[in-house]
Amino acid sequence: MLLIACPWCGPRDETEFRCGGEAHIARPKDPDALDDAAWADYLFMRRNPKGRHRERWVHAAGCRRWFNVERDTVSHVITAVYPMGKPPPGEGG
Amino acid sequence: MTWPRLWRDPEPKPAYDAVIVGGGGHGLATAYYLAKEHGITNVAVLEKGWLGGGNTARNTTVIRSNYLWDESAAIYEFSLKLWEGLSRDLNFNVMLSQRGVLNLAHNLHDRREAIRRVHANRLNGIDAEWLDPTAVRAFCPILNIDAGARYPVLGATLQRRGGVARHDAVAWGYARAADARGVDLIQNCAVTGLRRNGGRIAGVETSRGFIKAGKVGIVAAGHNSVLAAMAGIRLPIESHPLQALVSEPIKPVLDCVVMSNAVHVYVSQSDKGELVMGAGIDGFNSYAQRGSFPVIEAQMGAVIALFPIFSRLRMMRSWGGIVDVCPDASPIIGKLPVDGLYLNGGWGTGGFKATPGSGFVFAHTIANDAPHPLAAPFSLERFTTGALIDEHGAAAVAH
């Protein structure tokens, strides 16, 4: 089981959280300009990396706030927790 | 006297007409049908570990075809019909046991959905029955259908032709039959790259050197995204752990398969006497072949509520497989945007039952460079056209 450090509540069991999937998928600024392939990429295509992954989590049974997590999908080790809207650690703004 | 080898252990040749990446049930079936149905025998199956050692060895072996939507019903029923002749076709006992699959309804919505699905199945020529609670109890006496039960049973669908098969035998049977037709089964051979020549596939880089290939089929289950990324292709797939576990062996007590969509558990009893149980996926992405304990805890809670008789059983082993899940819980079978490159994946939590049909239609797709009619709706393009086949919740079990 994962132990996730909520930025507001501290380390809590995984059962208090829900995983919201891949982070840093920006909604298209001009949706009317998108063709079907671009929509498909935005809606459905995912990186699904083996190794370092950035994903969104919500503290559903706690403060109910969203945040980003950097986690390894092989070892499950969490290497960073950082706020929504911020770039991943080491990848400046 | 030792048992004879069932298949050769060849060195990879420099070039093949077709290379299948992934030596699980689906990949082995694909190779077998390429040879048998299409006469393409200069084929290699590349497996990074050992044959049938991934999800083929890690699933709960449930076979059924009672899917809601026409496209799914067609391919899963085609697969079930192949299952029914498979032991004879392969001359290898896959121990198909058509003991019946119950899908429980616990509330009014479940009941309506189930009855609708029975009608849809029958319209598609698939055997399906609706059982009221009394009939459910007659079919599966140990199920708790008391009115005060935590999960009341308002009825169940029954597919009598559904059941289970011996998962290892399926891999071994296909492997032996493919080998006998000349297919090279190459184990301990990891694919590390896909080489392209312009817009066409040229071959695969492997841990045992470059292998030239006229066509390449990716059938790598949880690792499909990793393989596709080697060709610069993004897929609508995410990999998750799917856990299962078995109890200590006991005398025969459960002679059918019981599945519950709402509380999400499925259970059958193996020929060895162990209860084989599975649940839903862990919610986060993973390639780790293990999941979190709370998933098992929730699953066991549901099992004991449905079957109070199991409450004192000890669990012997649990494990996880990595399943590749599509947004619509349906597979992707077809061509990729590189000539000569094909994908058979996205089977998510339900691939075992599809093994024969999946291999058959994928072999056809590779041989003809055009989708088999049953595979056509399951193209990658459906995520662009919007013609999704949404089996989330419709497929008789949630995913």
Side-chain angles (χ1 to χ4, degrees), chain B residues 45-215:
Chain B
V45 177
L46 308 183
E47 167 55 49
K48 70 176 177 182
W50 59 92
L51 299 182
N55 292 349
T56 302
R58 292 165 182 274
N59 69 88
T60 50
T61 78
V62 176
I63 294 169
R64 59 188 178 88
S65 62
N66 56 348
Y67 280 64
L68 178 67
W69 301 116
D70 293 348
E71 298 87 346
S72 311
I75 194 166
Y76 288 106
E77 176 61 14
F78 176 71
S79 191
L80 180 50
K81 287 199 168 80
L82 286 178
W83 275 114
E84 288 171 331
L86 194 59
S87 291
R88 178 175 299 179
D89 185 28
L90 299 177
N91 189 26
F92 200 104
N93 188 1
V94 299
M95 299 169 72
L96 175 69
S97 168
Q98 293 177 290
R99 57 183 66 179
V101 173
L102 281 179
N103 291 94
L104 305 179
H106 298 297
N107 55 48
L108 191 56
H109 173 78
D110 281 357
R111 189 175 181 277
R112 287 173 177 158
E113 178 277 326
I115 292 171
R116 177 193 180 196
R117 184 162 43 74
V118 164
H119 291 315
N121 289 161
R122 286 180 172 175
L123 287 169
N124 278 317
I126 295 169
D127 70 303
E129 297 166 44
W130 169 253
L131 304 186
D132 64 22
T134 311
V136 172
R137 169 162 275 173
F139 194 78
C140 184
I142 61 171
L143 192 60
N144 180 14
I145 66 161
D146 294 347
R150 171 69 182 84
Y151 304 115
V153 174
L154 303 190
T157 67
L158 170 62
Q159 184 178 22
R160 291 184 192 271
R161 288 164 60 241
V164 294
R166 173 80 182 135
H167 50 296
D168 290 329
V170 177
W172 299 337
Y174 273 120
R176 187 181 72 161
D179 174 85
R181 289 176 184 267
V183 172
D184 281 358
L185 307 175
I186 300 165
Q187 304 178 70
N188 300 309
C189 182
V191 170
T192 55
L194 298 173
R195 192 183 290 181
R196 293 163 65 161
N197 183 5
R200 189 167 178 85
I201 196 77
V204 293
E205 312 279 357
T206 81
S207 54
R208 294 169 70 169
F210 176 71
I211 299 172
K212 196 175 169 209
K215 296 178 175 180

Side-chain angles (χ1 to χ4, degrees), chain A residues 1-84:
Chain A
M1 181 159 62
L2 304 179
L3 185 65
I4 300 171
C6 172
W8 293 276
C9 309
R12 299 293 184 97
D13 285 348
E14 174 195 334
T15 48
E16 294 186 13
F17 299 85
R18 296 284 291 183
C19 184
E22 184 176 328
H24 306 297
I25 300 174
R27 184 174 172 82
K29 282 204 166 58
D30 184 7
D32 292 338
L34 262 55
D35 62 13
D36 289 350
W39 267 121
D41 194 79
Y42 164 69
L43 285 174
F44 298 124
M45 303 302 162
R46 295 293 179 262
R47 290 182 57 235
N48 193 25
K50 183 177 186 178
R52 192 176 67 175
H53 188 37
R54 279 77 177 252
E55 60 198 1
R56 304 171 301 170
W57 286 78
V58 60
H59 196 179
C63 64
R64 303 187 64 182
R65 295 222 240 177
W66 286 86
F67 54 95
N68 288 321
V69 168
E70 182 182 84
R71 184 180 59 88
D72 189 293
T73 59
V74 179
S75 68
H76 293 175
V77 170
I78 294 172
T79 45
V81 174
Y82 57 101
M84 301 298 289

